[in-house]
Each structure stands twice: as C-alpha cells, then as structure tokens.
Coordinates of all heavy atoms in Angstrom, one line a residue:
M1 N -23.4 7.3 -32.6 CA -22.5 6.7 -31.6 C -21.1 6.9 -32.0 O -20.8 7.2 -33.2 CB -22.9 5.2 -31.5 CG -22.2 4.5 -30.4 SD -23.4 4.4 -29.0 CE -22.4 3.6 -27.8
T2 N -20.2 6.7 -31.1 CA -18.8 7.0 -31.4 C -18.2 5.8 -32.0 O -18.8 4.8 -32.2 CB -18.0 7.3 -30.0 OG1 -18.1 6.2 -29.2 CG2 -18.5 8.5 -29.4
G3 N -16.9 5.9 -32.4 CA -16.2 4.8 -33.0 C -16.1 3.6 -32.2 O -16.3 3.6 -31.0
E4 N -15.8 2.5 -32.8 CA -15.7 1.2 -32.1 C -14.8 1.2 -30.9 O -13.6 1.6 -31.0 CB -15.2 0.2 -33.2 CG -15.4 -1.3 -32.8 CD -16.7 -1.8 -33.1 OE1 -17.4 -1.2 -33.9 OE2 -17.1 -2.9 -32.6
G5 N -15.3 0.9 -29.8 CA -14.5 0.7 -28.6 C -14.2 2.1 -27.8 O -13.7 2.0 -26.8
A6 N -14.6 3.2 -28.4 CA -14.3 4.5 -27.8 C -15.4 4.7 -26.7 O -16.6 4.7 -27.1 CB -14.3 5.6 -28.8
P7 N -15.0 5.0 -25.5 CA -16.0 5.3 -24.5 C -16.7 6.6 -24.8 O -16.1 7.6 -25.3 CB -15.2 5.4 -23.2 CG -13.8 5.7 -23.6 CD -13.7 5.1 -25.0
R8 N -18.0 6.7 -24.5 CA -18.7 8.0 -24.7 C -18.3 9.0 -23.7 O -18.3 10.2 -24.0 CB -20.2 7.7 -24.5 CG -20.8 6.9 -25.6 CD -22.3 7.1 -25.7 NE -22.6 8.5 -26.0 CZ -23.8 9.1 -25.8 NH1 -24.8 8.5 -25.3 NH2 -24.0 10.4 -26.2
L9 N -17.9 8.6 -22.5 CA -17.5 9.6 -21.4 C -16.0 9.3 -21.0 O -15.7 8.2 -20.7 CB -18.4 9.4 -20.2 CG -19.8 9.9 -20.3 CD1 -20.6 9.5 -19.1 CD2 -19.7 11.5 -20.4
R10 N -15.3 10.4 -21.1 CA -13.9 10.4 -20.6 C -13.7 11.5 -19.6 O -14.2 12.6 -19.8 CB -12.9 10.6 -21.7 CG -12.7 9.4 -22.6 CD -11.4 9.5 -23.4 NE -11.1 8.2 -24.0 CZ -11.0 8.0 -25.3 NH1 -11.2 9.0 -26.1 NH2 -10.8 6.8 -25.7
L11 N -12.9 11.2 -18.6 CA -12.5 12.2 -17.6 C -11.0 12.4 -17.7 O -10.3 11.5 -17.4 CB -13.0 11.8 -16.2 CG -12.6 12.8 -15.1 CD1 -13.4 14.1 -15.3 CD2 -12.9 12.3 -13.7
M12 N -10.6 13.6 -18.1 CA -9.2 13.9 -18.1 C -8.8 14.4 -16.7 O -9.5 15.3 -16.2 CB -9.0 15.1 -19.1 CG -9.6 14.8 -20.5 SD -9.2 13.2 -21.2 CE -7.6 13.4 -21.8
T13 N -7.9 13.7 -16.1 CA -7.6 13.8 -14.7 C -6.1 13.8 -14.4 O -5.3 13.6 -15.4 CB -8.3 12.7 -13.9 OG1 -8.2 12.9 -12.5 CG2 -7.9 11.4 -14.3
R14 N -5.7 13.9 -13.2 CA -4.3 13.7 -12.8 C -4.3 13.3 -11.3 O -5.2 13.6 -10.6 CB -3.5 15.0 -13.0 CG -3.8 16.1 -12.1 CD -2.7 17.2 -12.1 NE -2.0 17.4 -13.3 CZ -2.1 18.4 -14.2 NH1 -2.9 19.4 -13.9 NH2 -1.3 18.5 -15.3
A15 N -3.2 12.7 -10.9 CA -3.1 12.2 -9.5 C -3.0 13.4 -8.6 O -2.4 14.4 -8.9 CB -1.8 11.3 -9.4
G16 N -3.6 13.3 -7.4 CA -3.5 14.3 -6.4 C -4.4 15.5 -6.6 O -4.3 16.5 -6.0
C17 N -5.3 15.4 -7.5 CA -6.3 16.5 -7.9 C -7.6 16.2 -7.2 O -8.3 15.3 -7.5 CB -6.4 16.5 -9.4 SG -7.8 17.6 -10.0
H18 N -7.9 17.1 -6.2 CA -9.1 16.9 -5.4 C -10.4 17.1 -6.3 O -11.3 16.3 -6.2 CB -9.2 17.8 -4.2 CG -10.5 17.8 -3.4 ND1 -10.8 16.7 -2.7 CD2 -11.5 18.6 -3.4 CE1 -12.0 16.9 -2.2 NE2 -12.4 18.1 -2.5
L19 N -10.3 18.1 -7.1 CA -11.5 18.4 -8.0 C -11.7 17.2 -8.9 O -12.8 16.8 -9.2 CB -11.3 19.6 -8.8 CG -11.4 21.0 -8.1 CD1 -11.1 22.1 -9.1 CD2 -12.8 21.2 -7.6
C20 N -10.6 16.5 -9.3 CA -10.7 15.3 -10.2 C -11.4 14.2 -9.5 O -12.3 13.5 -10.1 CB -9.3 14.9 -10.6 SG -8.5 16.1 -11.7
E21 N -11.1 14.0 -8.2 CA -11.8 13.0 -7.4 C -13.3 13.2 -7.3 O -14.1 12.3 -7.5 CB -11.1 12.9 -6.0 CG -9.7 12.4 -6.0 CD -9.0 12.6 -4.7 OE1 -9.7 12.8 -3.7 OE2 -7.7 12.5 -4.7
V22 N -13.6 14.5 -7.0 CA -15.1 14.8 -6.9 C -15.8 14.6 -8.2 O -16.8 14.0 -8.3 CB -15.2 16.3 -6.4 CG1 -16.7 16.7 -6.5 CG2 -14.7 16.4 -5.0
A23 N -15.1 15.1 -9.3 CA -15.7 14.9 -10.7 C -15.9 13.4 -11.0 O -16.9 13.1 -11.6 CB -14.8 15.6 -11.7
A24 N -14.9 12.6 -10.7 CA -14.9 11.2 -11.0 C -16.1 10.5 -10.3 O -16.9 9.7 -10.9 CB -13.6 10.5 -10.6
E25 N -16.4 10.9 -9.0 CA -17.5 10.3 -8.3 C -18.8 10.7 -9.0 O -19.7 9.9 -9.1 CB -17.5 10.8 -6.8 CG -16.3 10.1 -6.1 CD -16.2 10.8 -4.7 OE1 -17.1 11.5 -4.2 OE2 -15.2 10.4 -4.0
T26 N -18.9 12.0 -9.3 CA -20.1 12.5 -9.9 C -20.4 11.9 -11.3 O -21.5 11.4 -11.6 CB -20.0 14.1 -10.1 OG1 -19.8 14.7 -8.8 CG2 -21.3 14.6 -10.7
L27 N -19.3 11.8 -12.1 CA -19.4 11.2 -13.4 C -19.8 9.7 -13.3 O -20.6 9.2 -14.1 CB -18.1 11.4 -14.1 CG -18.1 11.2 -15.7 CD1 -19.1 12.1 -16.3 CD2 -16.7 11.3 -16.2
E28 N -19.2 9.0 -12.4 CA -19.5 7.5 -12.2 C -21.0 7.4 -11.9 O -21.7 6.5 -12.5 CB -18.8 6.9 -11.0 CG -17.3 6.7 -11.3 CD -17.1 5.4 -12.1 OE1 -17.9 4.6 -12.2 OE2 -16.0 5.3 -12.7
R29 N -21.6 8.2 -11.1 CA -23.0 8.2 -10.7 C -23.9 8.4 -11.9 O -24.8 7.7 -12.2 CB -23.3 9.2 -9.6 CG -24.7 9.0 -9.0 CD -24.9 10.0 -7.9 NE -25.0 11.4 -8.4 CZ -24.2 12.4 -8.1 NH1 -23.1 12.2 -7.3 NH2 -24.3 13.6 -8.6
I30 N -23.6 9.5 -12.7 CA -24.4 9.8 -13.8 C -24.3 8.8 -14.9 O -25.2 8.4 -15.6 CB -24.1 11.2 -14.3 CG1 -24.5 12.3 -13.3 CG2 -24.8 11.5 -15.6 CD1 -23.9 13.6 -13.5
A31 N -23.0 8.3 -15.2 CA -22.8 7.3 -16.2 C -23.5 6.0 -15.9 O -24.1 5.4 -16.8 CB -21.3 7.1 -16.3
A32 N -23.6 5.7 -14.6 CA -24.3 4.4 -14.2 C -25.8 4.5 -14.6 O -26.4 3.6 -15.1 CB -24.1 4.2 -12.8
E33 N -26.3 5.7 -14.4 CA -27.8 5.9 -14.7 C -28.0 5.7 -16.2 O -29.0 5.3 -16.7 CB -28.2 7.3 -14.3 CG -28.4 7.6 -12.9 CD -28.8 9.0 -12.6 OE1 -29.8 9.4 -13.2 OE2 -28.2 9.7 -11.8
A34 N -27.0 6.1 -17.0 CA -27.1 6.0 -18.5 C -26.6 4.7 -19.0 O -26.5 4.5 -20.2 CB -26.3 7.2 -19.1
G35 N -26.1 3.8 -18.1 CA -25.6 2.5 -18.5 C -24.3 2.6 -19.2 O -23.9 1.8 -20.1
L36 N -23.5 3.6 -18.8 CA -22.2 3.8 -19.4 C -21.1 3.6 -18.4 O -21.3 3.7 -17.2 CB -22.1 5.3 -19.9 CG -23.1 5.7 -21.0 CD1 -23.0 7.1 -21.3 CD2 -22.8 4.9 -22.3
Q37 N -19.9 3.4 -18.9 CA -18.7 3.2 -18.0 C -17.7 4.3 -18.5 O -17.1 4.2 -19.5 CB -18.0 1.8 -18.2 CG -16.8 1.6 -17.4 CD -17.1 1.7 -15.9 OE1 -18.0 1.1 -15.4 NE2 -16.3 2.4 -15.2
P38 N -17.5 5.3 -17.6 CA -16.5 6.4 -18.0 C -15.1 5.9 -17.9 O -14.8 5.0 -17.2 CB -16.8 7.5 -17.0 CG -17.4 6.8 -15.8 CD -18.1 5.6 -16.3
E39 N -14.3 6.5 -18.7 CA -12.8 6.2 -18.7 C -12.1 7.4 -18.1 O -12.3 8.5 -18.6 CB -12.4 5.9 -20.1 CG -10.9 5.6 -20.2 CD -10.4 5.5 -21.6 OE1 -10.4 6.5 -22.4 OE2 -10.0 4.4 -22.0
A40 N -11.2 7.1 -17.1 CA -10.3 8.2 -16.6 C -9.0 8.1 -17.4 O -8.4 7.1 -17.6 CB -10.1 7.9 -15.1
V41 N -8.5 9.3 -17.8 CA -7.3 9.4 -18.5 C -6.4 10.4 -17.8 O -6.8 11.5 -17.5 CB -7.5 9.9 -20.0 CG1 -6.2 10.1 -20.7 CG2 -8.5 9.0 -20.7
D42 N -5.2 9.9 -17.4 CA -4.2 10.8 -16.7 C -3.5 11.6 -17.7 O -2.7 11.1 -18.5 CB -3.2 9.9 -15.9 CG -2.2 10.7 -15.1 OD1 -2.1 11.9 -15.2 OD2 -1.5 10.1 -14.3
V43 N -3.7 12.9 -17.6 CA -3.1 13.8 -18.6 C -1.6 13.9 -18.5 O -0.9 14.2 -19.5 CB -3.7 15.3 -18.6 CG1 -5.2 15.3 -18.9 CG2 -3.4 15.9 -17.2
D44 N -1.1 13.6 -17.3 CA 0.3 13.7 -17.1 C 1.1 12.5 -17.8 O 2.3 12.5 -17.8 CB 0.7 13.8 -15.6 CG 0.2 15.1 -15.0 OD1 0.1 16.1 -15.7 OD2 -0.2 15.1 -13.8
A45 N 0.4 11.5 -18.2 CA 1.0 10.4 -18.9 C 1.3 10.6 -20.3 O 2.0 9.9 -21.0 CB 0.1 9.1 -18.8
D46 N 0.8 11.7 -20.9 CA 1.0 12.1 -22.3 C 1.2 13.6 -22.4 O 0.3 14.4 -22.1 CB -0.3 11.7 -23.1 CG -0.2 11.9 -24.5 OD1 0.4 12.9 -25.0 OD2 -0.8 11.1 -25.3
P47 N 2.4 14.0 -22.9 CA 2.7 15.4 -23.0 C 1.7 16.2 -23.9 O 1.4 17.3 -23.5 CB 4.1 15.4 -23.7 CG 4.7 14.1 -23.4 CD 3.5 13.1 -23.4
E48 N 1.1 15.6 -24.9 CA 0.1 16.3 -25.7 C -1.2 16.5 -24.9 O -1.7 17.6 -25.0 CB -0.2 15.5 -27.0 CG 0.9 15.6 -28.0 CD 0.5 14.9 -29.3 OE1 -0.7 14.7 -29.6 OE2 1.4 14.4 -30.0
L49 N -1.6 15.5 -24.1 CA -2.8 15.7 -23.3 C -2.5 16.7 -22.2 O -3.4 17.5 -21.9 CB -3.2 14.4 -22.7 CG -3.8 13.3 -23.7 CD1 -4.1 12.0 -23.0 CD2 -5.0 13.8 -24.5
Q50 N -1.3 16.6 -21.6 CA -1.0 17.6 -20.6 C -1.0 19.0 -21.1 O -1.5 19.9 -20.4 CB 0.4 17.2 -20.0 CG 0.8 18.1 -18.8 CD 2.1 17.7 -18.2 OE1 3.0 17.3 -18.9 NE2 2.2 17.8 -16.9
A51 N -0.5 19.2 -22.3 CA -0.5 20.5 -22.9 C -1.9 21.0 -23.2 O -2.2 22.2 -23.0 CB 0.3 20.5 -24.2
E52 N -2.8 20.1 -23.6 CA -4.1 20.5 -24.0 C -5.0 20.7 -22.8 O -5.8 21.6 -22.7 CB -4.8 19.5 -24.9 CG -6.1 19.9 -25.4 CD -6.7 19.0 -26.5 OE1 -5.9 18.0 -27.0 OE2 -7.8 19.2 -26.9
F53 N -4.9 19.8 -21.8 CA -5.9 19.8 -20.7 C -5.3 20.1 -19.3 O -6.0 20.3 -18.4 CB -6.6 18.4 -20.6 CG -7.4 18.1 -21.8 CD1 -6.9 17.0 -22.7 CD2 -8.5 18.7 -22.2 CE1 -7.6 16.7 -23.8 CE2 -9.2 18.3 -23.3 CZ -8.8 17.3 -24.1
G54 N -4.0 20.1 -19.2 CA -3.3 20.2 -17.9 C -3.7 21.3 -17.0 O -3.7 21.1 -15.8
D55 N -4.0 22.5 -17.6 CA -4.3 23.6 -16.7 C -5.8 23.7 -16.4 O -6.2 24.6 -15.7 CB -3.8 24.9 -17.4 CG -4.5 25.2 -18.7 OD1 -5.0 24.2 -19.3 OD2 -4.4 26.3 -19.2
R56 N -6.6 22.7 -16.9 CA -8.1 22.8 -16.7 C -8.7 21.6 -16.1 O -9.9 21.5 -16.0 CB -8.8 23.1 -18.0 CG -8.4 24.4 -18.6 CD -9.1 24.6 -19.9 NE -8.6 23.7 -21.0 CZ -9.3 23.1 -21.8 NH1 -10.6 23.2 -21.8 NH2 -8.8 22.3 -22.7
V57 N -7.8 20.6 -15.7 CA -8.4 19.3 -15.2 C -9.2 19.6 -13.9 O -8.9 20.5 -13.1 CB -7.3 18.2 -14.9 CG1 -6.7 17.8 -16.2 CG2 -6.3 18.7 -13.9
P58 N -10.3 18.8 -13.7 CA -10.8 17.8 -14.5 C -11.5 18.3 -15.7 O -12.2 19.3 -15.6 CB -11.7 17.0 -13.6 CG -12.2 18.0 -12.6 CD -11.0 19.0 -12.5
V59 N -11.4 17.6 -16.8 CA -12.2 17.9 -18.1 C -13.0 16.7 -18.4 O -12.5 15.6 -18.5 CB -11.3 18.3 -19.2 CG1 -12.1 18.6 -20.5 CG2 -10.4 19.4 -18.9
V60 N -14.3 16.9 -18.7 CA -15.2 15.8 -19.1 C -15.4 15.9 -20.6 O -15.6 17.0 -21.2 CB -16.6 16.0 -18.4 CG1 -17.6 14.9 -19.0 CG2 -16.5 15.9 -16.9
L61 N -15.1 14.8 -21.3 CA -15.3 14.7 -22.7 C -16.5 13.8 -23.0 O -16.6 12.7 -22.4 CB -14.1 14.1 -23.4 CG -12.8 14.8 -23.2 CD1 -11.7 14.1 -24.0 CD2 -12.9 16.2 -23.7
L62 N -17.4 14.2 -23.8 CA -18.6 13.4 -24.2 C -18.5 13.2 -25.7 O -18.4 14.2 -26.5 CB -19.9 14.1 -23.9 CG -21.2 13.4 -24.3 CD1 -21.3 12.0 -23.7 CD2 -22.4 14.3 -24.0
D63 N -18.4 11.9 -26.1 CA -18.2 11.6 -27.5 C -17.0 12.3 -28.1 O -17.1 12.8 -29.3 CB -19.5 11.9 -28.3 CG -20.7 11.0 -27.8 OD1 -20.4 9.9 -27.4 OD2 -21.8 11.5 -27.9
G64 N -16.0 12.4 -27.4 CA -14.7 13.0 -27.9 C -14.7 14.5 -27.9 O -13.7 15.1 -28.3
R65 N -15.7 15.2 -27.4 CA -15.8 16.6 -27.4 C -15.8 17.1 -26.0 O -16.5 16.5 -25.1 CB -17.0 17.1 -28.2 CG -17.0 16.6 -29.6 CD -18.3 17.1 -30.3 NE -17.9 18.3 -30.9 CZ -18.7 19.0 -31.7 NH1 -20.0 18.6 -31.9 NH2 -18.4 20.1 -32.3
E66 N -15.1 18.2 -25.7 CA -15.1 18.8 -24.4 C -16.5 19.2 -24.0 O -17.3 19.9 -24.7 CB -14.2 20.0 -24.4 CG -14.0 20.5 -23.0 CD -12.9 21.6 -22.9 OE1 -11.9 21.5 -23.5 OE2 -13.2 22.6 -22.2
H67 N -16.9 18.7 -22.8 CA -18.3 19.0 -22.3 C -18.2 20.0 -21.1 O -19.0 20.9 -21.1 CB -18.9 17.7 -21.8 CG -20.4 17.8 -21.6 ND1 -20.9 18.1 -20.3 CD2 -21.5 17.6 -22.4 CE1 -22.2 18.2 -20.4 NE2 -22.6 17.9 -21.6
S68 N -17.3 19.8 -20.2 CA -17.2 20.7 -19.1 C -15.8 20.6 -18.5 O -15.1 19.6 -18.7 CB -18.3 20.5 -18.0 OG -18.3 19.2 -17.6
Y69 N -15.4 21.5 -17.7 CA -14.1 21.4 -17.0 C -14.2 22.1 -15.6 O -15.1 22.8 -15.3 CB -13.0 22.0 -17.8 CG -13.0 23.5 -18.1 CD1 -12.4 24.4 -17.3 CD2 -13.8 24.0 -19.2 CE1 -12.5 25.8 -17.5 CE2 -13.9 25.3 -19.4 CZ -13.2 26.2 -18.6 OH -13.3 27.5 -18.9
F70 N -13.3 21.7 -14.7 CA -13.2 22.0 -13.3 C -14.3 21.3 -12.5 O -14.1 20.8 -11.4 CB -13.3 23.5 -13.0 CG -12.1 24.3 -13.5 CD1 -12.2 25.5 -14.1 CD2 -10.8 23.7 -13.5 CE1 -11.1 26.2 -14.5 CE2 -9.7 24.4 -13.9 CZ -9.8 25.7 -14.5
T71 N -15.6 21.3 -13.0 CA -16.7 20.6 -12.4 C -17.5 19.9 -13.5 O -17.4 20.3 -14.6 CB -17.6 21.5 -11.6 OG1 -18.2 22.5 -12.4 CG2 -16.9 22.2 -10.4
V72 N -18.3 18.9 -13.1 CA -19.2 18.3 -14.0 C -20.4 19.1 -14.1 O -21.1 19.4 -13.1 CB -19.5 16.8 -13.6 CG1 -20.5 16.2 -14.5 CG2 -18.2 16.0 -13.4
D73 N -20.8 19.5 -15.3 CA -22.1 20.3 -15.5 C -23.2 19.2 -15.5 O -23.6 18.7 -16.5 CB -22.0 21.0 -16.8 CG -23.2 21.9 -17.1 OD1 -24.3 21.7 -16.4 OD2 -23.1 22.9 -17.9
V74 N -23.7 18.9 -14.3 CA -24.6 17.8 -14.1 C -25.9 18.0 -14.9 O -26.3 17.1 -15.7 CB -24.9 17.6 -12.6 CG1 -26.0 16.5 -12.4 CG2 -23.6 17.1 -11.9
P75 N -26.6 19.1 -14.8 CA -27.9 19.3 -15.6 C -27.6 19.1 -17.1 O -28.4 18.4 -17.8 CB -28.4 20.7 -15.2 CG -27.7 21.0 -13.9 CD -26.4 20.3 -13.9
R76 N -26.6 19.7 -17.6 CA -26.3 19.6 -19.0 C -25.9 18.2 -19.4 O -26.4 17.7 -20.5 CB -25.2 20.6 -19.4 CG -24.9 20.6 -20.9 CD -23.9 21.8 -21.2 NE -23.3 21.6 -22.5 CZ -22.1 21.6 -22.8 NH1 -21.2 21.8 -21.8 NH2 -21.7 21.4 -24.0
L77 N -25.1 17.5 -18.6 CA -24.7 16.2 -19.0 C -25.9 15.2 -18.9 O -26.0 14.4 -19.8 CB -23.6 15.7 -18.0 CG -23.0 14.3 -18.3 CD1 -22.4 14.2 -19.7 CD2 -22.0 13.9 -17.3
R78 N -26.7 15.4 -17.9 CA -27.9 14.5 -17.8 C -28.8 14.7 -19.1 O -29.3 13.8 -19.7 CB -28.7 14.8 -16.6 CG -28.0 14.3 -15.3 CD -28.9 14.6 -14.1 NE -30.2 14.0 -14.1 CZ -30.4 12.7 -13.9 NH1 -29.5 11.9 -13.6 NH2 -31.7 12.3 -14.0
R79 N -28.9 16.0 -19.5 CA -29.7 16.3 -20.7 C -29.1 15.7 -21.9 O -29.8 15.0 -22.7 CB -29.9 17.8 -20.8 CG -30.8 18.2 -22.0 CD -30.7 19.7 -22.3 NE -29.4 20.1 -22.8 CZ -28.7 21.1 -22.3 NH1 -29.1 21.8 -21.3 NH2 -27.5 21.3 -22.8
D80 N -27.8 15.9 -22.0 CA -27.1 15.4 -23.3 C -27.1 13.9 -23.3 O -26.9 13.3 -24.4 CB -25.7 16.0 -23.3 CG -25.7 17.5 -23.6 OD1 -26.8 18.0 -23.9 OD2 -24.6 18.1 -23.4
L81 N -27.2 13.2 -22.2 CA -27.3 11.7 -22.2 C -28.7 11.2 -22.2 O -28.9 10.0 -22.2 CB -26.6 11.2 -20.9 CG -25.0 11.4 -20.9 CD1 -24.5 10.9 -19.5 CD2 -24.4 10.6 -22.0
G82 N -29.7 12.1 -22.3 CA -31.1 11.8 -22.4 C -31.7 11.3 -21.1 O -32.6 10.5 -21.1
L83 N -31.1 11.8 -20.0 CA -31.6 11.4 -18.7 C -32.6 12.3 -18.1 O -33.0 12.2 -16.9 CB -30.4 11.2 -17.7 CG -29.4 10.2 -18.1 CD1 -28.2 10.2 -17.1 CD2 -30.0 8.8 -18.0
G84 N -33.0 13.4 -18.8 CA -34.0 14.3 -18.2 C -33.3 15.3 -17.4 O -32.1 15.6 -17.5
G85 N -34.1 15.9 -16.4 CA -33.6 17.0 -15.6 C -32.5 16.7 -14.7 O -32.0 15.6 -14.6
G86 N -31.9 17.8 -14.1 CA -30.7 17.6 -13.2 C -31.1 17.3 -11.8 O -30.4 16.8 -11.0

C-alpha cells in the first residue's frame, strides 16, 4: 500500500480539458468498483506539475506511478486494481 493518506489513484488534470472530464468519469466508475476515491490534481496550480504533465493531461497515477495518459487504460487499470477483465 502507499504512504499514509496518499490516494492510490490520482488524475492529473486541468480546467477546460474535455479529455480530462471523460477520464475523470471513467476513473470515478472504476475506482468505485475498487472501493477507492480518486483525487483530481490541477497541474496548472503547480509549475512543477505543469512542466511534468502539462502536455499529456489527463494522466492517471496509480500508487504514485504513471499508469496511462490521454485516456484511461481501462482493462489494464481494472487488472492492476484486481478487478478482473475489462
């Protein structure tokens, strides 16, 4: 498991990003199946995050590691969360 208080799922996002909205809906649905609450992080609020993720949002982080970007890799995320097939 991750460190104390750190969410397992994070979505790196920004305001006005249509792909981010779609990814957030998808991530919420899958997270709910796994009993998790994803955290959305606005990359534009932090210059370091903007530099790292700004050109690839939305980016899904699982346990602090990049899992997918532009879209949620649903079959892989379900597998990595132990939810079975896609």
Side-chain angles (χ1 to χ4, degrees):
M1 192 95 180
T2 61
E4 195 85 16
R8 290 201 64 199
L9 285 170
R10 281 200 169 117
L11 180 65
M12 310 311 282
T13 186
R14 70 167 28 113
C17 168
H18 176 70
L19 286 177
C20 297
E21 294 169 15
V22 172
E25 291 172 9
T26 302
L27 196 59
E28 287 281 342
R29 188 178 70 244
I30 295 170
E33 289 181 48
L36 299 172
Q37 180 63 47
E39 175 186 69
V41 178
D42 183 349
V43 299
D44 293 328
D46 182 325
E48 287 184 24
L49 294 178
Q50 187 177 32
E52 185 172 354
F53 300 109
D55 61 342
R56 295 181 290 136
V57 293
V59 178
V60 175
L61 302 179
L62 175 61
D63 294 331
R65 303 178 92 177
E66 188 172 316
H67 192 272
S68 57
Y69 63 96
F70 294 142
T71 60
V72 178
D73 186 338
V74 173
R76 182 172 166 231
L77 183 57
R78 288 180 58 79
R79 182 188 70 230
D80 291 349
L81 291 173
L83 296 174

